[in-house]
Amino acid sequence: MRISRSFGKTLREAPAEAETISHQLLVRAGFIQQLAAGLYQFLPLGWRSQRKIAEIIRQEMDAAGALEVNMPVVQPRELWEQSGRADTFFPPLATFEDRRNRKLILAPTHEEAVTTMVKANISSYRDLPVNLYQIQTKFRDETRPRAGLLRTREFMMKDAYSFDADEEALDLSYIAMVEAYKKIFARCGLDVTMVDADSGGIGGKDSQEFVLLAENGEDVVLLCDHGDYGANVEKAEFVKKPNPPEEPLEIEEIATPGVTTIEELAESLGIPTNKTAKAVFYTVDGDVVIVTIRGDLDVNEAKLRNLLGGIEPRFSTAEEVAKSGLVAGSASAVGLDHIRSIVDDSITLGANLVAGANKEGYHLKNVNFPRDFKADIVADIATARPGDTCPIDGGRLEARRGIEVGHVFKLGTGYSESLDAKFLDAQGESHPIIMGCYGIGVSRLLGAIVEAYHDERGMILPKAIAPYAVYLASLNVDDDEVVSKADQLYEDLTAAGVEVLYDDRDEKPGVKFNDADLIGLPLRVVVSRRGLGNGEIELKGRTEEKASYVAVGDAVSAIQDRLE
RNA sequence: CGGGGAGUGGCGCAGCCUGGUAGCGCACCUGCUUUGGGAGCAGGGGGUCAUCGGUUCAAAUCCGGUCUCCCCGACCA
């Protein structure tokens, strides 16, 4: 493509609203343009890059045995009422009415639609397994779209759904997708980290996330420094350090006027925080629940939610706390038999803790579990932190920020049950189909790539997803020889199947070099009067400091070699 | 939804405090010169100053409402 005939131009300065580096660079390079908050238009360069990503995904999904389909973005709201998600999905479904006053929604995801598609076409175990995918627009009315393509309201997603007859088959489908994802990201030229993930309110036993590590990422992941464990902070497990063993002592009330936090308590008594028990109140389905955890740890709400069967807990309000007879700042589960109690297993790793006395200004020494209070559930509900011990090999966990570019999880039978998608097994018995789902944020991926791969001059695009492979610049367009040689090279490269963005504008060299760096194609090729004087063409990789030179006659093959 | 910031040619900004009919840089058009890291000179085109209302002889500027965008938080495939 000749730049003189293309559409979209580069900007010296980014719009003031673009703060994230990928957002700035994508706008400045003329890849995308904002239409409204969280809504972007793709210009030719950006769309070309997007299509390349989609094509890689398509090839690998096909190779993994998945079949491409297409489902509507506009769907009857009724379908979502059947699955039970019409009112619970967050962010709320974008709903509107058609001319016959039927309620329609813009689909934020496609489990309902695909399950309906499968239901009509699958009736026997002989029809399974099946894996269907699409590359499709989604709409989610996000509370706060941000950071350019990293969190938009309308976005492009590849979503795949597997359907199996039993758990073992689901495991195979899942593994096939994980392997396909690894290939996809590798082919895109990306170093993507796979971590254990929270499966969310949907449930299901396994879930993993594919994260591109980047400073601006929204996700926090914990990685073992030995490289054998990684997990989203919502999911991460760790080895809790036990307190030194002690004989349980008699419980004892002590006055602690004005002390309401764990830090104050530990300081005033001269003890470490792991010798205290922290009580936190959550409201779940309208009831207050008391959660007890060792003072040196924090509650992980995602783990708590999973423990509660997917119900989202929230901090109780001051009124709710007071109404339950709890004393904020001096509370504990001791003596509170009427309130549901959840205990983190860290409480079992020490004796003689200091806990609230449920009386303002007083705490209790030598509190021991289960001697002094009950638990309805004991489980791991603690948040892992950097420096904690890896659950696999005792290594040290380190925190990194990243951008979630893919997510796979085992759904189970939730949708096939609510939407009645069943199959008959060999014995003629009916079962709900077992599902998995597998997403890749296609438009987000472009933003994530730029976020992770850029320098002060512009983007550094991996070859596989760059809109063109070569930035060909002619430097002295008043020189007929330069123009004819550059034109010829452009023709020859194009004929040889090399994708070339040809900067044939009448611009100063500096303008062309700067645009080349900004757009960040892998290889820059320069035809100039000076070079031709030596019978040479100049080649420079985007990340190379110095250019190299090849004879004019060898240019095409040399460029092809460089792109290998 | 809570907190903060901002809306002035395509982009970046000044002007607002102290009202007097809009300016700078980039980009764009014409001409000449220039040509290896965002050229120079000369001439030129383009703005309902987000919007609605109020105050005033007069509003980009003062007052009020509304809308939009960005950031932090909450939330989040």
Side-chain angles (χ1 to χ4, degrees):
Chain A
M1 169 59 69
R2 288 173 182 262
I3 289 187
S4 62
R5 290 187 207 156
S6 73
F7 176 78
K9 64 175 153 188
T10 56
L11 297 175
R12 272 198 206 194
E13 293 179 281
E17 69 252 23
E19 197 157 299
T20 313
I21 187 70
S22 63
H23 187 190
Q24 293 179 346
L25 291 175
L26 286 165
V27 171
R28 283 188 52 212
F31 277 47
I32 60 170
Q33 189 175 314
Q34 182 167 5
L35 185 62
L39 302 174
Y40 286 86
Q41 332 209 61
F42 282 75
L43 280 63
L45 284 176
W47 186 243
R48 223 179 135 88
S49 193
Q50 195 75 124
R51 281 174 52 196
K52 294 210 167 193
I53 296 171
E55 192 50 35
I56 290 171
I57 293 172
R58 191 170 275 127
Q59 287 173 7
E60 293 300 332
M61 293 303 292
D62 289 348
L67 297 164
E68 186 170 9
V69 296
N70 190 263
M71 295 176 276
V73 179
V74 173
Q75 303 180 354
R77 189 177 165 94
E78 196 182 3
L79 180 60
W80 287 68
E81 281 159 7
Q82 276 179 46
S83 73
R85 293 208 288 182
D87 295 313
T88 60
F89 198 87
F90 193 93
L93 296 175
T95 304
F96 62 102
E97 287 186 1
D98 67 12
R99 65 175 75 198
R100 283 182 282 266
N101 301 326
R102 294 195 187 184
K103 284 192 175 171
L104 299 171
I105 60 106
L106 294 178
T109 176
H110 283 75
E111 281 84 5
E112 281 80 357
V114 76
T115 305
T116 303
M117 184 184 271
V118 163
K119 176 183 174 179
N121 291 281
I122 298 288
S123 46
S124 158
Y125 72 99
R126 295 173 202 244
D127 300 325
L128 299 173
V130 171
N131 188 326
L132 302 176
Y133 78 97
Q134 65 172 355
I135 294 172
Q136 173 66 289
T137 296
K138 313 276 178 190
F139 183 85
R140 297 181 188 176
D141 194 6
E142 294 284 353
T143 43
R144 186 154 88 87
R146 65 177 132 188
L149 294 182
L150 297 184
R151 180 166 294 278
T152 56
R153 294 193 291 177
E154 181 178 308
F155 57 99
M156 182 81 69
M157 181 169 173
K158 187 285 299 177
D159 46 326
Y161 306 90
S162 65
F163 299 84
D164 285 289
D166 56 42
E167 293 288 337
E168 292 67 36
L170 169 62
D171 291 346
L172 293 177
S173 296
Y174 185 87
I175 289 166
M177 285 295 103
V178 167
E179 291 307 314
Y181 274 35
K182 288 179 178 171
K183 287 181 191 160
I184 288 164
F185 295 124
R187 277 186 64 187
C188 287
L190 307 177
D191 186 13
V192 167
T193 306
M194 185 171 83
V195 300
D196 292 349
D198 178 51
S199 51
I202 302 166
K205 61 178 182 179
D206 285 323
S207 177
Q208 276 157 322
E209 238 173 65
F210 293 79
V211 173
L212 188 59
L213 298 177
E215 291 299 318
N216 274 327
E218 294 181 286
D219 263 25
V220 175
V221 297
L222 291 167
L223 304 175
C224 175
D225 60 357
H226 295 164
D228 55 5
Y229 179 73
N232 189 301
V233 66
E234 294 187 333
K235 172 77 177 178
E237 298 174 8
F238 63 106
V239 179
K240 293 167 188 166
K241 290 190 188 71
N243 288 354
E246 287 178 32
E247 281 302 310
L249 302 174
E250 276 305 300
I251 207 161
E252 183 185 331
E253 188 175 280
I254 50 171
T256 51
V259 171
T260 57
T261 67
I262 289 294
E263 285 67 33
E264 290 166 358
L265 183 65
E267 195 179 332
S268 67
L269 299 177
I271 57 172
T273 53
N274 63 12
K275 290 282 288 174
T276 67
K278 174 160 49 179
V280 191
F281 322 116
Y282 285 95
T283 297
V284 179
D285 267 352
D287 293 324
V288 172
V289 172
I290 184 163
V291 175
T292 308
I293 190 167
R294 209 171 61 190
D296 57 320
L297 300 172
D298 291 316
V299 174
N300 179 326
E301 292 186 13
K303 289 183 180 178
L304 182 59
R305 178 196 58 213
N306 292 338
L307 206 56
L308 296 166
I311 299 163
E312 202 70 50
R314 60 169 174 81
F315 277 124
S316 301
T317 62
E319 294 85 63
E320 287 168 339
V321 169
K323 213 169 135 192
S324 306
L326 295 163
V327 184
S330 291
S332 75
V334 176
L336 295 182
D337 291 336
H338 61 293
I339 293 180
R340 194 166 167 202
S341 163
I342 296 176
V343 172
D344 182 68
D345 55 16
S346 58
I347 292 294
T348 65
L349 300 174
N352 302 326
L353 302 177
V354 177
N358 294 317
K359 192 159 93 176
E360 197 169 331
Y362 289 89
H363 280 78
L364 299 172
K365 279 173 78 171
N366 304 328
V367 170
N368 287 280
F369 177 81
R371 184 190 72 184
D372 302 325
F373 61 100
K374 64 144 192 175
D376 294 290
I377 309 174
V378 179
D380 167 38
I381 47 166
T383 303
R385 288 175 296 208
D388 282 339
T389 303
C390 169
I392 304 292
D393 71 347
R396 188 187 142 88
L397 297 178
E398 290 171 353
R400 297 288 301 275
R401 299 196 75 89
I403 300 159
E404 178 187 9
V405 292
H407 198 158
V408 295
F409 47 97
K410 297 181 182 174
L411 284 179
T413 55
Y415 295 98
S416 48
E417 281 173 29
S418 61
L419 298 169
D420 199 31
K422 294 185 201 147
F423 70 99
L424 292 180
D425 67 14
Q427 283 72 46
E429 285 179 34
S430 180
H431 303 280
I433 307 176
I434 300 176
M435 293 173 59
C437 81
Y438 317 93
I440 292 180
V442 181
S443 48
R444 171 184 285 180
L445 194 51
L446 180 57
I449 288 166
V450 178
E451 204 60 50
Y453 302 97
H454 67 269
D455 63 14
E456 63 288 343
R457 295 189 157 277
M459 309 192 279
I460 299 174
L461 295 174
K463 188 183 60 180
I465 64 106
Y468 295 89
V470 169
Y471 193 97
L472 171 63
S474 54
L475 284 203
N476 319 88
V477 294
D478 58 336
D479 186 319
D480 291 343
E481 195 195 353
V482 169
V483 171
S484 69
K485 282 287 193 302
D487 281 355
Q488 189 63 50
L489 186 54
Y490 173 60
E491 306 278 334
D492 292 348
L493 284 169
T494 303
V498 178
E499 294 173 313
V500 181
L501 185 61
Y502 178 18
D503 192 346
D504 58 340
R505 296 172 298 174
D506 180 10
E507 287 289 354
K508 304 275 288 184
V511 173
K512 298 193 175 189
F513 291 150
N514 279 298
D515 278 348
D517 289 340
L518 176 61
I519 293 170
L521 304 183
L523 186 64
R524 190 184 82 190
V525 175
V526 172
V527 178
S528 68
R529 186 183 293 140
R530 201 173 80 186
L532 291 180
N534 299 326
E536 290 175 335
I537 302 281
E538 172 188 314
L539 310 183
K540 185 174 110 42
R542 173 63 178 80
T543 56
E544 291 171 350
E545 276 300 312
K546 296 212 163 180
S548 58
Y549 299 86
V550 298
V552 174
D554 301 334
V556 173
S557 60
I559 289 164
Q560 286 179 306
D561 288 347
R562 285 294 296 270
L563 293 174
E564 280 304 307

